[in-house]
Coordinates of all heavy atoms in Angstrom, one line a residue:
M1 N 43.1 -19.2 -22.5 CA 43.1 -18.1 -21.7 C 42.1 -17.1 -22.1 O 41.3 -16.5 -21.3 CB 44.5 -17.5 -21.6 CG 44.7 -16.3 -20.7 SD 44.6 -16.9 -19.1 CE 45.4 -15.7 -18.3
A2 N 42.0 -16.7 -23.4 CA 41.0 -15.8 -23.9 C 39.6 -16.3 -23.7 O 38.7 -15.5 -23.4 CB 41.2 -15.5 -25.4
Y3 N 39.4 -17.6 -23.8 CA 38.2 -18.2 -23.6 C 37.7 -18.0 -22.2 O 36.6 -17.6 -21.9 CB 38.1 -19.7 -23.9 CG 36.9 -20.4 -23.6 CD1 35.8 -20.2 -24.4 CD2 36.8 -21.1 -22.5 CE1 34.6 -20.8 -24.2 CE2 35.6 -21.8 -22.2 CZ 34.5 -21.6 -23.0 OH 33.3 -22.2 -22.8
V4 N 38.6 -18.2 -21.2 CA 38.2 -17.9 -19.8 C 37.9 -16.5 -19.5 O 36.9 -16.2 -18.8 CB 39.5 -18.4 -18.9 CG1 39.2 -17.9 -17.5 CG2 39.7 -19.9 -19.0
T5 N 38.7 -15.5 -20.1 CA 38.3 -14.1 -19.9 C 37.0 -13.8 -20.4 O 36.2 -13.1 -19.9 CB 39.4 -13.3 -20.7 OG1 40.7 -13.7 -20.1 CG2 39.2 -11.9 -20.4
L6 N 36.6 -14.3 -21.7 CA 35.4 -14.0 -22.2 C 34.2 -14.6 -21.3 O 33.1 -14.0 -21.2 CB 35.2 -14.6 -23.6 CG 36.0 -13.8 -24.7 CD1 36.0 -14.6 -26.1 CD2 35.5 -12.5 -24.9
D7 N 34.5 -15.8 -20.9 CA 33.4 -16.5 -20.0 C 33.2 -15.6 -18.8 O 32.1 -15.5 -18.3 CB 33.9 -17.9 -19.7 CG 32.7 -18.7 -19.1 OD1 31.6 -18.5 -19.6 OD2 33.0 -19.4 -18.1
L8 N 34.3 -15.1 -18.1 CA 34.1 -14.3 -17.0 C 33.4 -13.0 -17.2 O 32.5 -12.5 -16.4 CB 35.5 -14.0 -16.3 CG 36.2 -15.2 -15.6 CD1 37.5 -14.7 -15.2 CD2 35.3 -15.6 -14.4
M9 N 33.6 -12.4 -18.4 CA 32.9 -11.2 -18.8 C 31.4 -11.4 -19.0 O 30.6 -10.6 -18.5 CB 33.6 -10.7 -20.1 CG 34.9 -10.0 -19.9 SD 35.8 -9.5 -21.3 CE 34.6 -8.2 -21.9
A10 N 31.1 -12.6 -19.6 CA 29.8 -13.0 -19.8 C 29.1 -13.1 -18.4 O 27.9 -12.7 -18.2 CB 29.6 -14.1 -20.6
S11 N 29.7 -13.8 -17.5 CA 29.1 -14.0 -16.2 C 28.9 -12.6 -15.5 O 27.9 -12.4 -14.9 CB 30.0 -14.9 -15.3 OG 30.1 -16.0 -15.8
R12 N 29.9 -11.7 -15.6 CA 29.8 -10.5 -15.0 C 28.6 -9.7 -15.6 O 27.9 -9.1 -14.8 CB 31.1 -9.7 -15.2 CG 31.1 -8.4 -14.4 CD 32.5 -7.7 -14.5 NE 32.4 -6.4 -14.0 CZ 33.1 -5.4 -14.5 NH1 34.1 -5.6 -15.3 NH2 33.0 -4.2 -13.9
R13 N 28.4 -9.8 -16.9 CA 27.3 -9.1 -17.4 C 26.0 -9.6 -16.9 O 25.0 -8.9 -16.8 CB 27.4 -9.3 -19.0 CG 27.9 -8.0 -19.7 CD 27.9 -8.2 -21.2 NE 29.2 -8.6 -21.6 CZ 29.5 -9.6 -22.4 NH1 28.5 -10.1 -23.2 NH2 30.7 -10.0 -22.7
R14 N 25.8 -11.0 -16.7 CA 24.6 -11.5 -16.3 C 24.3 -11.1 -14.9 O 23.2 -10.8 -14.6 CB 24.8 -13.1 -16.4 CG 24.4 -13.6 -17.7 CD 24.2 -15.1 -17.6 NE 25.4 -15.9 -17.2 CZ 26.3 -16.4 -18.0 NH1 26.2 -16.2 -19.3 NH2 27.4 -17.0 -17.5
V15 N 25.4 -11.0 -14.0 CA 25.3 -10.5 -12.7 C 24.8 -9.0 -12.7 O 23.8 -8.7 -12.0 CB 26.5 -10.7 -11.9 CG1 26.5 -10.0 -10.5 CG2 26.9 -12.2 -11.6
L16 N 25.3 -8.3 -13.5 CA 25.0 -6.8 -13.5 C 23.5 -6.7 -14.1 O 22.8 -5.8 -13.5 CB 25.9 -6.0 -14.4 CG 27.3 -5.9 -13.8 CD1 28.3 -5.2 -14.8 CD2 27.3 -5.0 -12.5
A17 N 23.2 -7.5 -15.1 CA 21.8 -7.4 -15.6 C 20.8 -7.8 -14.5 O 19.8 -7.1 -14.4 CB 21.7 -8.2 -16.8
G18 N 21.1 -8.8 -13.8 CA 20.2 -9.3 -12.7 C 20.1 -8.2 -11.6 O 19.0 -7.9 -11.1
A19 N 21.2 -7.6 -11.2 CA 21.1 -6.5 -10.3 C 20.3 -5.4 -10.8 O 19.5 -4.8 -10.1 CB 22.6 -6.0 -9.9
A20 N 20.4 -5.0 -12.0 CA 19.6 -3.9 -12.5 C 18.2 -4.3 -12.5 O 17.3 -3.5 -12.3 CB 20.1 -3.5 -14.0
T21 N 17.9 -5.5 -12.9 CA 16.4 -5.9 -12.9 C 15.9 -5.9 -11.5 O 14.7 -5.4 -11.3 CB 16.3 -7.4 -13.4 OG1 16.8 -7.4 -14.8 CG2 14.9 -7.9 -13.4
L22 N 16.6 -6.3 -10.5 CA 16.2 -6.2 -9.1 C 15.9 -4.8 -8.6 O 15.0 -4.5 -7.9 CB 17.1 -7.0 -8.1 CG 17.1 -8.5 -8.3 CD1 18.3 -9.1 -7.4 CD2 15.7 -9.1 -7.9
S23 N 16.9 -4.0 -9.0 CA 16.7 -2.6 -8.6 C 15.5 -1.9 -9.2 O 14.7 -1.2 -8.5 CB 17.9 -1.7 -9.1 OG 19.1 -2.2 -8.4
F24 N 15.2 -2.2 -10.6 CA 14.1 -1.7 -11.2 C 12.7 -2.2 -10.5 O 11.8 -1.5 -10.2 CB 14.0 -2.1 -12.6 CG 12.8 -1.6 -13.4 CD1 12.7 -0.2 -13.7 CD2 11.9 -2.5 -13.8 CE1 11.6 0.3 -14.4 CE2 10.8 -2.0 -14.5 CZ 10.7 -0.7 -14.8
A25 N 12.8 -3.6 -10.2 CA 11.6 -4.1 -9.5 C 11.3 -3.4 -8.2 O 10.2 -3.2 -7.8 CB 11.8 -5.6 -9.3
G26 N 12.4 -3.2 -7.4 CA 12.3 -2.5 -6.2 C 11.7 -1.1 -6.3 O 10.8 -0.7 -5.5
L27 N 12.1 -0.4 -7.3 CA 11.6 0.9 -7.6 C 10.1 0.9 -7.9 O 9.3 1.7 -7.4 CB 12.3 1.6 -8.7 CG 13.8 2.2 -8.4 CD1 14.4 2.6 -9.6 CD2 13.6 3.2 -7.3
M28 N 9.7 -0.1 -8.7 CA 8.3 -0.2 -9.1 C 7.4 -0.6 -7.9 O 6.4 0.0 -7.7 CB 8.2 -1.4 -10.1 CG 8.8 -1.0 -11.5 SD 8.3 0.6 -12.2 CE 6.6 0.1 -12.6
L29 N 7.9 -1.5 -7.0 CA 7.1 -1.9 -5.8 C 7.0 -0.6 -4.9 O 5.9 -0.4 -4.3 CB 7.8 -3.0 -5.1 CG 7.6 -4.4 -5.8 CD1 8.5 -5.4 -5.1 CD2 6.2 -4.8 -5.9
G30 N 8.0 0.1 -4.7 CA 8.0 1.2 -3.8 C 7.0 2.3 -4.4 O 6.3 3.0 -3.7
G31 N 7.1 2.5 -5.7 CA 6.2 3.5 -6.3 C 4.7 3.0 -6.2 O 3.9 3.9 -5.9
N32 N 4.4 1.8 -6.3 CA 3.1 1.3 -6.1 C 2.6 1.5 -4.7 O 1.4 1.9 -4.5 CB 3.0 -0.2 -6.5 CG 3.1 -0.4 -8.0 OD1 2.9 0.6 -8.8 ND2 3.3 -1.6 -8.4
A33 N 3.5 1.3 -3.8 CA 3.0 1.5 -2.4 C 2.8 2.9 -2.2 O 1.7 3.3 -1.4 CB 4.1 1.0 -1.4
A34 N 3.6 3.8 -2.7 CA 3.4 5.2 -2.5 C 2.1 5.7 -3.1 O 1.3 6.5 -2.7 CB 4.6 6.0 -3.0
A35 N 1.7 5.2 -4.4 CA 0.6 5.5 -5.1 C -0.7 5.1 -4.3 O -1.6 5.8 -4.2 CB 0.6 4.9 -6.5
A36 N -0.6 3.9 -3.7 CA -1.8 3.3 -2.9 C -2.0 4.3 -1.8 O -3.1 4.5 -1.4 CB -1.4 1.9 -2.5
A37 N -0.9 4.6 -1.1 CA -1.1 5.5 0.1 C -1.6 6.8 -0.3 O -2.5 7.4 0.4 CB 0.2 5.6 0.8
A38 N -1.2 7.4 -1.4 CA -1.7 8.6 -1.8 C -3.1 8.6 -2.3 O -3.8 9.6 -2.2 CB -0.8 9.1 -3.1
A39 N -3.7 7.4 -2.7 CA -5.0 7.3 -3.2 C -6.0 7.4 -2.0 O -7.2 7.6 -2.2 CB -5.2 6.0 -3.9
K40 N -5.6 7.2 -0.8 CA -6.5 7.3 0.3 C -6.8 8.8 0.7 O -6.0 9.6 0.6 CB -5.8 6.6 1.6 CG -5.7 5.1 1.5 CD -5.3 4.5 2.7 CE -5.3 2.9 2.7 NZ -5.0 2.3 3.9
S41 N -8.0 8.9 1.2 CA -8.5 10.2 1.6 C -7.9 10.5 3.1 O -7.8 9.6 3.8 CB -10.0 10.3 1.7 OG -10.6 9.9 0.4
S42 N -7.7 11.8 3.3 CA -7.3 12.1 4.6 C -8.5 12.0 5.6 O -9.6 12.1 5.1 CB -6.8 13.6 4.7 OG -7.8 14.5 4.4
Q43 N -8.3 11.8 6.9 CA -9.4 11.7 7.9 C -10.2 13.0 7.9 O -11.4 13.0 8.0 CB -8.8 11.4 9.2 CG -8.1 10.0 9.3 CD -7.8 9.6 10.7 OE1 -8.0 10.4 11.7 NE2 -7.2 8.4 10.8
K44 N -9.5 14.1 7.7 CA -10.2 15.4 7.9 C -11.2 15.6 6.6 O -12.2 16.1 6.8 CB -9.2 16.5 7.9 CG -9.7 17.9 8.1 CD -8.7 19.0 8.2 CE -9.4 20.3 8.5 NZ -8.3 21.3 8.7
S45 N -10.7 15.2 5.5 CA -11.5 15.3 4.3 C -12.7 14.6 4.2 O -13.8 14.9 3.4 CB -10.7 15.1 3.0 OG -10.4 13.7 2.8
V46 N -12.9 13.5 5.1 CA -14.1 12.7 5.0 C -14.8 12.8 6.4 O -15.6 11.9 6.7 CB -13.7 11.2 4.7 CG1 -13.2 11.0 3.3 CG2 -12.7 10.7 5.7
D47 N -14.5 13.8 7.2 CA -15.1 14.1 8.5 C -15.0 12.8 9.4 O -15.9 12.5 10.2 CB -16.6 14.3 8.3 CG -16.8 15.7 7.4 OD1 -15.9 16.6 7.6 OD2 -17.7 15.7 6.7
Y48 N -13.8 12.2 9.4 CA -13.7 11.1 10.2 C -13.8 11.4 11.7 O -13.3 12.5 12.1 CB -12.3 10.3 10.0 CG -12.0 9.3 11.0 CD1 -12.5 8.0 10.8 CD2 -11.2 9.5 12.1 CE1 -12.3 6.9 11.8 CE2 -10.9 8.5 13.1 CZ -11.5 7.3 12.9 OH -11.3 6.3 13.8
Q49 N -14.4 10.6 12.5 CA -14.5 10.8 13.9 C -14.3 9.5 14.6 O -14.7 8.5 14.0 CB -15.8 11.4 14.3 CG -17.0 10.6 13.8 CD -18.4 11.2 14.0 OE1 -18.6 12.4 13.7 NE2 -19.4 10.5 14.5
P50 N -13.8 9.5 15.9 CA -13.4 8.3 16.5 C -14.6 7.5 17.1 O -14.4 6.6 17.9 CB -12.3 8.6 17.5 CG -12.6 10.0 17.8 CD -13.2 10.7 16.5
H51 N -15.8 8.0 17.0 CA -16.9 7.4 17.5 C -18.1 7.2 16.5 O -18.1 7.8 15.4 CB -17.4 8.3 18.7 CG -17.7 9.7 18.4 ND1 -18.8 10.2 17.8 CD2 -16.8 10.7 18.5 CE1 -18.6 11.5 17.6 NE2 -17.4 11.9 18.1
P52 N -19.1 6.3 16.7 CA -20.0 6.0 15.6 C -21.0 7.2 15.4 O -21.0 8.1 16.2 CB -20.8 4.8 16.2 CG -20.2 4.6 17.6 CD -19.2 5.5 17.9
K53 N -21.7 7.1 14.3 CA -22.8 8.1 14.0 C -24.0 7.4 13.5 O -23.9 6.6 12.6 CB -22.3 9.1 12.9 CG -23.3 10.1 12.6 CD -22.7 11.2 11.7 CE -23.7 12.3 11.5 NZ -23.2 13.3 10.6
G54 N -25.1 7.7 14.2 CA -26.4 7.1 13.8 C -26.3 5.5 13.9 O -27.0 4.9 13.1
G55 N -25.6 5.0 14.8 CA -25.5 3.6 15.0 C -24.6 3.0 14.0 O -24.4 1.7 14.0
H56 N -23.9 3.7 13.1 CA -23.0 3.1 12.2 C -21.5 3.4 12.6 O -21.2 4.5 13.1 CB -23.2 3.8 10.8 CG -24.6 3.4 10.3 ND1 -25.3 4.4 9.5 CD2 -25.3 2.4 10.2 CE1 -26.4 3.8 9.1 NE2 -26.5 2.6 9.6
G57 N -20.7 2.4 12.3 CA -19.3 2.5 12.7 C -18.4 1.8 11.7 O -18.9 1.0 11.0
C58 N -17.1 2.1 11.8 CA -16.2 1.4 10.9 C -16.3 -0.1 10.9 O -16.1 -0.8 9.9 CB -14.8 1.8 11.2 SG -14.5 3.6 10.9
N59 N -16.6 -0.6 12.1 CA -16.7 -2.1 12.2 C -17.7 -2.7 11.4 O -17.6 -4.0 11.1 CB -16.8 -2.5 13.7 CG -18.0 -2.0 14.3 OD1 -18.7 -1.1 13.8 ND2 -18.4 -2.7 15.4
T60 N -18.7 -2.0 10.9 CA -19.7 -2.6 10.0 C -19.6 -2.0 8.5 O -20.5 -2.2 7.7 CB -21.1 -2.4 10.5 OG1 -21.4 -1.0 10.7 CG2 -21.3 -3.1 11.9
C61 N -18.5 -1.3 8.2 CA -18.3 -0.6 7.0 C -17.5 -1.6 6.1 O -16.6 -2.4 6.5 CB -17.6 0.6 7.1 SG -17.1 1.4 5.6
K62 N -17.9 -1.6 4.7 CA -17.3 -2.5 3.8 C -15.7 -2.2 3.6 O -15.0 -3.1 3.2 CB -17.9 -2.5 2.5 CG -17.7 -1.2 1.7 CD -18.4 -1.3 0.3 CE -18.2 -0.1 -0.5 NZ -16.8 0.3 -0.8
D63 N -15.3 -1.0 4.0 CA -13.9 -0.7 3.8 C -13.0 -0.9 5.0 O -11.9 -0.7 4.9 CB -13.8 0.8 3.3 CG -14.3 1.0 1.9 OD1 -14.3 0.0 1.1 OD2 -14.8 2.1 1.6
F64 N -13.7 -1.2 6.1 CA -12.9 -1.5 7.3 C -11.9 -2.7 7.2 O -12.3 -3.7 6.8 CB -13.7 -1.6 8.5 CG -13.0 -1.7 9.8 CD1 -12.2 -0.7 10.3 CD2 -13.1 -2.8 10.6 CE1 -11.5 -0.7 11.5 CE2 -12.4 -2.9 11.8 CZ -11.7 -1.9 12.3
V65 N -10.7 -2.5 7.6 CA -9.7 -3.6 7.6 C -9.1 -3.8 9.1 O -8.5 -2.9 9.6 CB -8.5 -3.3 6.7 CG1 -7.5 -4.4 6.7 CG2 -8.9 -2.9 5.3
P66 N -9.7 -4.8 9.8 CA -9.3 -5.0 11.1 C -7.7 -5.0 11.3 O -7.1 -5.5 10.4 CB -9.9 -6.2 11.5 CG -11.0 -6.5 10.6 CD -10.5 -5.8 9.3
Q67 N -7.2 -4.5 12.3 CA -7.7 -4.1 13.5 C -7.9 -2.5 13.4 O -8.8 -1.9 14.2 CB -6.8 -4.3 14.7 CG -6.6 -5.8 15.0 CD -7.9 -6.4 15.5 OE1 -8.5 -5.8 16.4 NE2 -8.2 -7.6 15.0
S68 N -7.2 -1.8 12.6 CA -7.2 -0.3 12.7 C -6.9 0.3 11.4 O -6.3 1.5 11.3 CB -6.3 0.2 13.7 OG -4.9 -0.2 13.4
N69 N -7.3 -0.3 10.3 CA -7.1 0.4 8.9 C -8.3 0.4 8.1 O -9.3 -0.2 8.4 CB -6.1 -0.4 8.2 CG -4.7 -0.3 8.8 OD1 -4.1 0.8 8.8 ND2 -4.1 -1.3 9.3
C70 N -8.3 1.2 7.0 CA -9.4 1.4 6.1 C -8.8 1.3 4.7 O -7.8 1.8 4.4 CB -10.1 2.8 6.4 SG -11.2 3.2 5.2
K71 N -9.6 0.8 3.8 CA -9.2 0.6 2.4 C -9.1 2.0 1.7 O -8.3 2.2 0.7 CB -10.1 -0.2 1.6 CG -10.0 -1.6 2.0 CD -11.1 -2.4 1.2 CE -11.2 -3.9 1.7 NZ -12.4 -4.6 1.1
T72 N -9.9 3.0 2.2 CA -10.0 4.2 1.4 C -9.6 5.5 2.3 O -9.5 6.6 1.6 CB -11.4 4.4 1.0 OG1 -12.4 4.4 2.1 CG2 -11.9 3.4 0.0
V73 N -9.5 5.4 3.6 CA -9.1 6.5 4.5 C -7.8 6.2 5.1 O -7.6 5.1 5.6 CB -10.3 6.7 5.4 CG1 -9.9 7.9 6.4 CG2 -11.6 7.1 4.8
E74 N -7.0 7.2 5.3 CA -5.7 7.1 5.9 C -5.9 6.6 7.4 O -6.8 7.1 8.1 CB -4.9 8.4 5.9 CG -4.5 8.8 4.5 CD -3.9 10.2 4.5 OE1 -4.1 10.9 5.4 OE2 -3.3 10.5 3.4
G75 N -5.0 5.8 7.9 CA -5.2 5.3 9.2 C -4.4 6.1 10.2 O -3.8 7.1 9.8
P76 N -4.4 5.8 11.5 CA -5.1 4.6 12.0 C -6.6 4.9 12.1 O -7.0 6.0 12.3 CB -4.5 4.3 13.3 CG -4.0 5.6 13.8 CD -3.6 6.4 12.5
I77 N -7.4 3.8 12.0 CA -9.0 4.0 12.1 C -9.4 3.1 13.3 O -8.8 2.0 13.5 CB -9.5 3.3 10.8 CG1 -9.1 4.1 9.6 CG2 -11.1 3.3 10.9 CD1 -9.6 5.6 9.5
Q78 N -10.3 3.6 14.0 CA -10.9 2.8 15.1 C -12.1 2.1 14.7 O -12.9 2.7 13.9 CB -11.2 3.7 16.3 CG -10.0 4.4 16.9 CD -10.3 5.2 18.2 OE1 -11.3 4.9 18.8 NE2 -9.4 6.2 18.5
A79 N -12.3 0.9 15.2 CA -13.5 0.1 14.8 C -14.7 0.8 15.1 O -15.8 0.6 14.4 CB -13.4 -1.3 15.5
S80 N -14.7 1.7 16.2 CA -15.9 2.4 16.6 C -16.0 3.7 15.9 O -17.0 4.4 16.1 CB -15.8 2.7 18.1 OG -14.6 3.4 18.4
G81 N -15.1 4.0 14.9 CA -15.1 5.3 14.2 C -16.2 5.4 13.1 O -17.0 4.4 12.9
W82 N -16.2 6.5 12.4 CA -17.1 6.7 11.4 C -16.6 7.8 10.5 O -15.9 8.7 10.9 CB -18.5 7.1 11.9 CG -19.5 7.5 10.9 CD1 -20.4 6.6 10.3 CD2 -19.8 8.8 10.3 NE1 -21.2 7.3 9.3 CE2 -20.8 8.6 9.3 CE3 -19.2 10.1 10.4 CZ2 -21.3 9.7 8.5 CZ3 -19.6 11.1 9.7 CH2 -20.7 10.9 8.7
C83 N -17.0 7.8 9.2 CA -16.7 9.0 8.3 C -17.9 9.0 7.2 O -18.7 8.1 7.1 CB -15.3 8.8 7.6 SG -15.4 7.8 6.1
N84 N -17.8 10.1 6.4 CA -18.9 10.2 5.5 C -18.8 9.5 4.3 O -19.7 9.4 3.4 CB -19.0 11.7 5.1 CG -17.8 12.3 4.4 OD1 -17.1 11.5 3.8 ND2 -17.7 13.6 4.3
K85 N -17.8 8.5 4.2 CA -17.7 7.5 3.2 C -18.3 6.1 3.7 O -18.2 5.1 2.9 CB -16.3 7.4 2.7 CG -15.8 8.6 2.0 CD -14.3 8.5 1.6 CE -14.1 7.7 0.4 NZ -12.7 7.7 0.0
Y86 N -18.9 6.1 4.8 CA -19.4 4.9 5.3 C -20.3 4.2 4.4 O -21.2 4.7 3.7 CB -20.2 5.2 6.6 CG -20.8 3.9 7.2 CD1 -20.2 3.1 8.0 CD2 -22.2 3.6 6.8 CE1 -20.7 1.9 8.6 CE2 -22.8 2.5 7.3 CZ -22.0 1.6 8.2 OH -22.6 0.5 8.7
A87 N -20.0 2.9 4.2 CA -20.9 2.0 3.4 C -21.1 0.7 4.1 O -20.1 0.0 4.3 CB -20.3 1.8 2.0
H88 N -22.3 0.4 4.4 CA -22.5 -0.9 5.2 C -22.1 -2.1 4.4 O -22.3 -2.2 3.2 CB -24.0 -1.0 5.5 CG -24.3 -2.0 6.6 ND1 -24.2 -3.3 6.5 CD2 -24.6 -1.7 8.0 CE1 -24.5 -3.8 7.7 NE2 -24.7 -2.9 8.5
S89 N -21.4 -3.0 5.2 CA -20.8 -4.2 4.5 C -21.9 -5.2 4.3 O -22.9 -5.3 5.0 CB -19.7 -4.8 5.3 OG -20.1 -5.1 6.6
Ligands
SF4_1 S1 -16.6 4.5 7.9 FE1 -15.0 5.6 6.7 S2 -13.1 5.4 7.9 FE2 -14.5 3.9 8.6 S3 -14.0 2.0 7.5 FE3 -15.7 3.0 6.4 S4 -14.7 4.4 4.9 FE4 -13.2 3.7 6.3

């Protein structure tokens, strides 16, 4: 009887440890996503405009992520847009 009780306690500890590990992993992933979003520049700070400038547009920039995102500027971004961080791909 005591053996069964100890075995159940050990199982319960493993389940609780697993749940704690999953909770911690979830917090870390959420934190990374928030950090990545915070690292992007606001559209205003980079003079983003929804139309090209000097023949350059987001669709030819190395940071453009089709269909409407940018690696360095907060979205949504239009393929025809432009900002002062433009870098030809
Ligand atoms: S021009 Fe600016 S907003 Fe457009 S893709 Fe490049 S860095 Fe992003």
Side-chain angles (χ1 to χ4, degrees):
M1 185 68 158
Y3 175 75
V4 171
T5 302
L6 286 175
D7 193 42
L8 286 174
M9 288 174 64
S11 294
R12 186 173 169 210
R13 259 184 265 140
R14 280 194 295 268
V15 168
L16 290 174
T21 301
L22 288 174
S23 295
F24 180 73
L27 285 173
M28 294 303 291
L29 288 173
N32 286 343
K40 288 188 176 185
S41 302
S42 70
Q43 293 185 3
K44 185 175 182 178
S45 71
V46 295
D47 300 324
Y48 174 79
Q49 58 189 41
H51 49 86
K53 182 173 185 177
H56 295 143
C58 294
N59 60 340
T60 58
C61 176
K62 69 175 183 58
D63 290 334
F64 183 62
V65 181
Q67 298 291 317
S68 60
N69 288 297
C70 173
K71 293 177 189 170
T72 58
V73 178
E74 294 172 346
I77 298 294
Q78 294 187 25
S80 60
W82 175 92
C83 85
N84 64 20
K85 293 174 82 174
Y86 174 85
H88 201 284
S89 57

